[in-house]
Amino acid sequence: MRAKRTAVNKLEGPITDIEVELPQRRTYVKCPGCRRIIDQEQLRANLDVCPRCGRHMRLDARRRIALTVDTGSFEEWDADLAPTDFLEFPGYTEKLCHAQEASGERDAVVCGFARIGGEPCALFVMNGDFMMGSMGAVVGEKICRVFERAREERLPVVGFTVSGGARMQEGTTSLMQMAKVSGARRRLAEAHLPYLALLTDPTTGGVTASFAMEGDVILAEPGALVAFAGPRVVEQTTHKRLPSGFQRAEFLLEHGFVDLIVKRRDIPATLAELLALHAGKIPGADAPHALAGTPEPHALIKRVSGLKPRRKTAVPSAYDIVKAARGAQRPTALELIERGLDGFIELHGDRLFSDDPAVVAGIGWKDGRVFTVIATERGRNTKERVARNFGSAHPEGYRKARRLMLEAERFERPVLCLIDTAGAYCGIGAEERGQGEAIATNLVTMSGLRTPIVSVIVGEGGSGGALALAVADRVLMFEHAAYSVVSPEGCASILWKSTDRAADAAEALGLTAPILTELGIVSDTIDDTGSADEVASRLMERVALELDGLGLLDTDELIDARYDLFRAMGGDAACSRS
C-alpha cells in the first residue's frame, strides 16, 4: 500500500519571520455619569472630568494637590502621624494595613503649607482612597493642627473635603473630632483669618456636620454629593424615592448652603482670587471674576435719568419720579455693579434655607479697594424680573445680606448697599419663615456693624424692605429715585380707598430726594443723568469719596456717629412740646 502523498501548496514560499505591528495597548474607563467609554489618558488630560457629560471623577489627595497649588510650593506637615487600633476593633488593623498599602498614605488626610496663585495658605486635603476618607482621631488631629498652626502663623486655611463620615472602628473618639476641629476653626475665625472650604464628591456624615460647612466661603465641585445622611439612609428611613439631584452640589446651592459651584479647571484661580480678596488685595486682571472692559449695554437701556422732561422748564411730579424709578429704562443694581466695578464675585445663600435671587451679594473691588457689595436686584427683562421676584426679597435675602455683612466686619471690609425694591415680599412663606424677624435682625446688626457702610437708593426704596439695607453711615440717593414708608398706591388705597389718588399720595409722602435730604433722612444725592457707564462711574466715585472720609474714624467713633445720625431723625424738628 502506497503512503498517502502529502499535498503541497505550490503558492507557499519558505517560512520567514514577519514582524507584526500590534496596536498600542490603551486603558479605558466607563464614566459613571453618562456610561460612555473614555480613554484613560484623555480623561487624565482633562483633569479627570468626563469630556462628554462633565462628570467630575474622584481624585486622590496627592493629585488634587498637584492640580491646585503652585508647582513646588507644597510643604507637608505632620506626615508621621498614623492611626492605631486603640479599641482593638475586630479587623481594623488589617483594614488599616490594606488602606496604607493601597493608597501609600498613613491616613485619610494630607496637610501642609502651599501657595495658590502666589497666595500663601495652610492646606488640608482629604483622601477618599483611604477607607473612604473616614474621619478618625488622626484625621481630626491633623486638621485641628492645621487650624492652630495657621492661627499662629497668620495664614488662611483652604480645605478640600471628601469623606464617608466618622470612622466607626474608633468609636466615640471619632465622633469627638467634629467638636475638636470646630473649636479650632472658631479660634481661627476669632483671629480674623479666612477659611475656604471646597466640597468634593462625596462629603457626608460627621465631616458635613462640622468643618465642611463652617467655611467663610463654601465652594463645591459640580455634582458633588454633600449630605449628613446619605441618600440610601434617607430612602430607607422615609421609604420614599428621592428626587433627581437630591443632596448634590446644585441642590445645596439652591437651598443656600454653598456660595459657588466651581469647575475643576477653575478651582486654582478662584481660590487664588478669594485668598487675595480676603487679604484685602486686588486680584490680577486675569482673575475669574474680573469685569474686563465695559459690558455690552442692555437692550432695554436707552438712558439712565429715569425721567426726561418734555420741556426744559417742566418739573417732574413726585409720582412721575416713582414711575420712572420703576421703569425698564433705568439700570438695575446689578448693571451698576457690572459697569462700575473692576471685579465682583457673587456669593450665594443664607446658610439656613435658600438663596434669594432678589438679593445679589458678594465681594467687589475697584481702584485698589475691596468691599462687600449687597444689592436688591429687580431683573433686566421680564424673565429675570419673575426669577428675581421683581426685587422683593424673602427673609433668606436679608439673612444672606447679614451673613456677608458680618463676614465683611470680620475681615475689615467696608460695605456698599445698592437699594432698588418696592419692598420686602409679602407672602405666606415669607411670613412663615420670619420676614419681620429677618428685617429686624438686619437693623440691629447694621446699627452696630464695626465697619463703614454706604447705602445708595438707586431706584425705588420701599418701606422696611429698603431700610433693611439702609442703616448706614452715609445714605445717598439718586436724584430720580424714591424712598418711602409705603408705596403711593398703598397709601392712597389705605387712606382714600382708591389707588386713583396715588399721585396725590406721592406728593404728600415727601418721598423725593430733595425733601429727604432736607429732612436729614438722606445724606446727599447723586446725579443719575447720562449713559449707564457715566452713572455707574459717578456712583463709584462718590462711594469712594465717602469711604475715604469714613476711614478716618476709629470703630467706636464710626458706630457712635451712625447712632447719632439715626437718633436725630424725627427728633426735635418733628416733635412739638405741649
Side-chain angles (χ1 to χ4, degrees):
M1 185 176 182
R2 289 190 308 175
K4 187 176 179 181
R5 190 172 179 180
T6 304
V8 177
N9 187 345
K10 295 181 179 181
L11 296 177
E12 288 184 353
I15 297 175
T16 57
D17 292 332
I18 300 175
E19 185 175 348
V20 178
E21 292 186 6
L22 296 175
Q24 183 180 358
R25 182 170 295 180
R26 308 185 74 86
T27 305
Y28 295 89
V29 176
K30 180 183 283 189
C31 172
C34 63
R35 315 301 294 176
R36 300 288 186 88
I37 302 300
I38 311 163
D39 183 272
Q40 190 174 52
E41 290 186 9
Q42 181 187 5
L43 182 64
R44 186 174 180 85
N46 201 44
L47 310 182
D48 288 277
V49 176
C50 177
R52 293 186 175 89
C53 71
R55 175 70 174 253
H56 283 53
M57 313 293 189
R58 297 172 184 177
L59 299 177
D60 64 62
R62 300 288 173 177
R63 178 148 166 77
R64 175 76 67 179
I65 291 170
L67 292 177
T68 305
V69 309
D70 298 351
T71 303
S73 69
F74 181 67
E75 301 171 12
E76 190 167 358
W77 295 343
D78 301 311
D80 58 333
L81 291 186
T84 60
D85 185 12
F86 56 86
L87 290 181
E88 298 181 356
F89 195 96
Y92 185 36
T93 299
E94 291 76 13
K95 281 184 176 292
L96 284 176
C97 291
H98 176 73
Q100 288 169 346
E101 290 174 4
S103 67
E105 304 292 347
R106 287 177 175 264
D107 210 325
V109 69
V110 178
C111 306
F113 168 86
R115 292 184 181 274
I116 303 175
E119 298 296 328
C121 66
L123 178 72
F124 70 83
V125 181
M126 300 189 74
N127 192 352
D129 288 350
F130 192 105
M131 295 185 67
M132 276 303 296
S134 56
M135 180 176 59
V138 168
V139 171
E141 179 66 19
K142 290 180 74 171
I143 296 176
C144 191
R145 290 188 186 187
V146 167
F147 282 112
E148 290 173 343
R149 188 164 175 177
R151 185 171 180 265
E152 292 171 3
E153 299 183 13
R154 304 296 301 171
L155 290 170
V157 173
V158 174
F160 287 80
T161 64
V162 52
S163 178
R167 190 170 297 176
M168 295 178 292
Q169 293 89 340
E170 296 188 13
T172 309
T173 300
S174 176
L175 182 68
M176 293 303 106
Q177 304 312 301
M178 296 166 60
K180 171 178 163 179
V181 177
S182 297
R185 188 273 175 272
R186 177 191 60 81
R187 288 165 62 86
L188 184 85
E190 290 175 347
H192 303 283
L193 292 166
Y195 165 40
L196 310 181
L198 201 150
L199 316 181
T200 72
D201 184 50
T203 295
T204 61
V207 171
T208 299
S210 58
F211 55 87
M213 303 304 293
E214 293 170 353
D216 293 298
V217 178
I218 301 177
L219 312 176
E221 284 193 328
L225 173 67
V226 182
F228 175 60
R232 184 169 56 187
V233 174
V234 175
E235 285 188 332
Q236 290 174 348
T237 302
T238 63
H239 303 290
K240 294 181 180 179
R241 188 174 183 83
L242 300 179
S244 177
F246 182 72
Q247 296 180 316
R248 296 290 170 177
E250 294 75 12
F251 175 89
L252 268 74
L253 180 69
E254 180 184 349
H255 287 80
F257 298 105
V258 168
D259 283 289
L260 283 173
I261 295 176
V262 186
K263 293 181 179 179
R264 188 168 291 165
R265 66 173 179 269
D266 299 326
I267 286 174
T270 301
L271 288 174
E273 181 181 59
L274 287 167
L275 288 170
L277 290 171
H278 281 80
K281 297 188 291 187
I282 302 300
D286 59 346
H289 296 89
L291 297 171
T294 304
E296 286 297 318
H298 191 270
L300 295 178
I301 294 180
K302 297 178 182 177
R303 62 183 184 275
V304 176
S305 63
L307 182 71
K308 188 175 181 180
R310 294 180 181 179
R311 299 187 303 273
K312 292 183 179 179
T313 56
V315 177
S317 69
Y319 196 47
D320 286 336
I321 289 175
V322 171
K323 290 188 289 184
R326 297 168 177 169
Q329 304 99 313
R330 298 178 66 86
T332 68
L334 190 54
E335 287 171 328
L336 293 170
I337 290 171
E338 291 172 347
R339 295 172 182 276
L341 299 183
D342 295 332
F344 176 71
I345 179 169
E346 185 179 355
L347 304 177
H348 297 267
D350 65 344
R351 296 288 191 276
L352 294 170
F353 179 78
S354 180
D355 178 55
D356 185 356
V359 176
V360 174
I363 305 174
W365 61 96
K366 175 71 173 178
D367 296 335
R369 176 182 272 122
V370 179
F371 40 86
T372 291
V373 183
I374 299 166
T376 48
E377 171 63 21
R378 286 179 178 269
R380 294 175 277 194
N381 53 46
T382 302
K383 184 177 180 180
E384 284 188 20
R385 289 193 169 199
V386 171
R388 296 187 183 275
N389 203 32
F390 296 85
S392 293
H394 291 78
E396 297 75 49
Y398 296 115
R399 288 170 181 144
K400 172 169 62 173
R402 179 175 180 269
R403 176 176 76 86
L404 287 216
M405 288 179 197
L406 293 174
E407 203 229 22
E409 178 184 62
R410 189 158 63 252
F411 298 110
E412 300 179 347
R413 285 196 302 267
V415 175
L416 168 63
C417 296
L418 304 179
I419 300 162
D420 182 13
T421 179
Y425 180 61
C426 300
I428 295 173
E431 292 298 323
E432 287 176 337
R433 298 190 300 276
Q435 185 71 285
E437 185 276 338
I439 294 172
T441 302
N442 270 26
L443 301 184
V444 172
T445 299
M446 293 184 78
S447 68
L449 200 72
R450 301 178 69 81
T451 194
I453 312 171
V454 174
S455 294
V456 186
I457 312 296
V458 299
E460 185 177 13
S463 193
L467 181 62
L469 300 180
V471 181
D473 303 294
R474 297 288 185 272
V475 180
L476 306 174
M477 190 170 173
F478 277 1
E479 288 181 355
H480 295 93
Y483 191 15
S484 177
V485 64
V486 67
S487 71
E489 296 84 358
C491 179
S493 178
I494 294 169
L495 296 182
W496 299 308
K497 313 302 181 186
S498 173
T499 59
D500 293 341
R501 297 188 62 182
D504 295 334
E507 292 291 345
L509 285 167
L511 47 71
T512 59
I515 295 175
L516 294 171
T517 304
E518 183 180 346
L519 290 172
I521 305 296
V522 171
S523 306
D524 202 355
T525 61
I526 299 174
D527 179 13
D528 58 352
T529 58
S531 71
D533 293 318
E534 289 171 343
V535 173
S537 176
R538 203 176 296 134
L539 167 67
M540 295 314 304
E541 287 175 4
R542 184 56 186 271
V543 169
L545 183 65
E546 297 294 348
L547 290 176
D548 287 341
L550 294 171
L552 301 176
L553 303 176
D554 66 35
T555 303
D556 291 336
E557 290 175 332
L558 185 76
I559 294 174
D560 288 345
R562 191 184 304 151
Y563 176 77
D564 292 340
L565 175 68
F566 284 86
R567 177 66 180 83
M569 295 179 187
D572 292 341
C575 301
S576 63
R577 296 179 184 275
S578 58

